[in-house]
Short mmCIF file of all heavy atoms in Angstrom, two decimals:
data_model
loop_
_atom_site.label_atom_id
_atom_site.label_comp_id
_atom_site.label_asym_id
_atom_site.label_seq_id
_atom_site.Cartn_x
_atom_site.Cartn_y
_atom_site.Cartn_z
N ASN A 43 20.30 -15.35 8.41
CA ASN A 43 20.07 -15.41 6.86
C ASN A 43 18.67 -15.64 6.58
O ASN A 43 18.12 -16.11 5.65
CB ASN A 43 20.72 -16.75 6.41
CG ASN A 43 20.95 -16.51 4.92
OD1 ASN A 43 21.26 -15.51 4.49
ND2 ASN A 43 20.88 -17.69 4.11
N GLY A 44 17.70 -14.90 7.46
CA GLY A 44 16.54 -14.69 7.05
C GLY A 44 16.27 -13.74 5.86
O GLY A 44 17.20 -13.12 5.52
N THR A 45 15.10 -13.84 5.22
CA THR A 45 14.83 -13.10 4.01
C THR A 45 13.99 -11.96 4.10
O THR A 45 12.91 -12.09 4.73
CB THR A 45 14.28 -14.12 2.85
OG1 THR A 45 15.24 -15.22 2.63
CG2 THR A 45 13.97 -13.46 1.55
N ILE A 46 14.34 -10.80 3.52
CA ILE A 46 13.42 -9.71 3.35
C ILE A 46 13.02 -9.50 1.92
O ILE A 46 14.05 -9.39 1.18
CB ILE A 46 14.20 -8.39 3.96
CG1 ILE A 46 14.52 -8.62 5.50
CG2 ILE A 46 13.07 -7.18 3.86
CD1 ILE A 46 15.27 -7.43 6.04
N ASP A 47 11.82 -9.46 1.68
CA ASP A 47 11.29 -9.47 0.18
C ASP A 47 10.77 -8.07 0.00
O ASP A 47 9.77 -7.61 0.58
CB ASP A 47 10.29 -10.47 -0.11
CG ASP A 47 9.84 -10.52 -1.55
OD1 ASP A 47 10.04 -9.50 -2.24
OD2 ASP A 47 9.27 -11.57 -1.91
N GLY A 48 11.51 -7.22 -0.88
CA GLY A 48 10.99 -5.88 -1.19
C GLY A 48 9.89 -5.73 -2.06
O GLY A 48 9.37 -4.63 -2.32
N GLN A 49 9.35 -6.85 -2.70
CA GLN A 49 8.29 -6.92 -3.63
C GLN A 49 8.43 -5.76 -4.65
O GLN A 49 7.55 -4.92 -4.82
CB GLN A 49 6.94 -6.71 -3.01
CG GLN A 49 6.84 -7.94 -1.93
CD GLN A 49 5.39 -7.94 -1.22
OE1 GLN A 49 4.37 -7.64 -1.87
NE2 GLN A 49 5.41 -8.12 0.09
N GLY A 50 9.55 -5.75 -5.29
CA GLY A 50 9.89 -4.67 -6.10
C GLY A 50 9.18 -4.45 -7.38
O GLY A 50 9.23 -3.40 -7.99
N ALA A 51 8.61 -5.62 -7.90
CA ALA A 51 8.01 -5.46 -9.30
C ALA A 51 6.98 -4.38 -9.39
O ALA A 51 6.88 -3.73 -10.39
CB ALA A 51 7.30 -6.74 -9.54
N TYR A 52 6.20 -4.13 -8.30
CA TYR A 52 5.21 -2.91 -8.40
C TYR A 52 5.99 -1.75 -8.62
O TYR A 52 5.50 -0.85 -9.43
CB TYR A 52 4.55 -2.97 -6.91
CG TYR A 52 3.78 -1.59 -6.75
CD1 TYR A 52 2.39 -1.64 -7.12
CD2 TYR A 52 4.34 -0.60 -6.15
CE1 TYR A 52 1.61 -0.40 -6.90
CE2 TYR A 52 3.58 0.61 -5.88
CZ TYR A 52 2.33 0.66 -6.40
OH TYR A 52 1.59 1.88 -6.17
N TRP A 53 7.12 -1.46 -7.93
CA TRP A 53 7.82 -0.16 -8.10
C TRP A 53 8.59 -0.15 -9.45
O TRP A 53 8.65 0.93 -10.18
CB TRP A 53 8.82 0.03 -7.00
CG TRP A 53 8.28 0.01 -5.59
CD1 TRP A 53 8.12 -1.09 -4.69
CD2 TRP A 53 7.55 1.09 -4.94
NE1 TRP A 53 7.40 -0.81 -3.59
CE2 TRP A 53 7.10 0.54 -3.68
CE3 TRP A 53 7.40 2.37 -5.28
CZ2 TRP A 53 6.42 1.39 -2.78
CZ3 TRP A 53 6.76 3.13 -4.33
CH2 TRP A 53 6.32 2.71 -3.09
N TRP A 54 9.19 -1.27 -9.93
CA TRP A 54 9.86 -1.29 -11.17
C TRP A 54 8.91 -0.80 -12.39
O TRP A 54 9.25 -0.17 -13.28
CB TRP A 54 10.49 -2.62 -11.40
CG TRP A 54 11.28 -3.12 -10.23
CD1 TRP A 54 12.05 -2.45 -9.47
CD2 TRP A 54 11.60 -4.50 -10.02
NE1 TRP A 54 12.75 -3.14 -8.52
CE2 TRP A 54 12.45 -4.53 -8.88
CE3 TRP A 54 11.22 -5.70 -10.48
CZ2 TRP A 54 13.04 -5.67 -8.32
CZ3 TRP A 54 11.72 -6.86 -9.90
CH2 TRP A 54 12.50 -6.93 -8.90
N LYS A 55 7.57 -1.30 -12.27
CA LYS A 55 6.75 -1.17 -13.27
C LYS A 55 6.32 0.42 -13.40
O LYS A 55 6.19 1.00 -14.37
CB LYS A 55 5.45 -2.06 -12.95
CG LYS A 55 4.28 -1.88 -14.01
CD LYS A 55 3.18 -2.86 -13.84
CE LYS A 55 2.14 -2.84 -14.81
NZ LYS A 55 1.32 -1.72 -14.89
#
Side-chain angles (χ1 to χ4, degrees):
N43 203 36
T45 297
I46 302 174
D47 187 343
Q49 300 185 45
Y52 168 88
W53 302 97
W54 306 332
K55 183 172 184 289

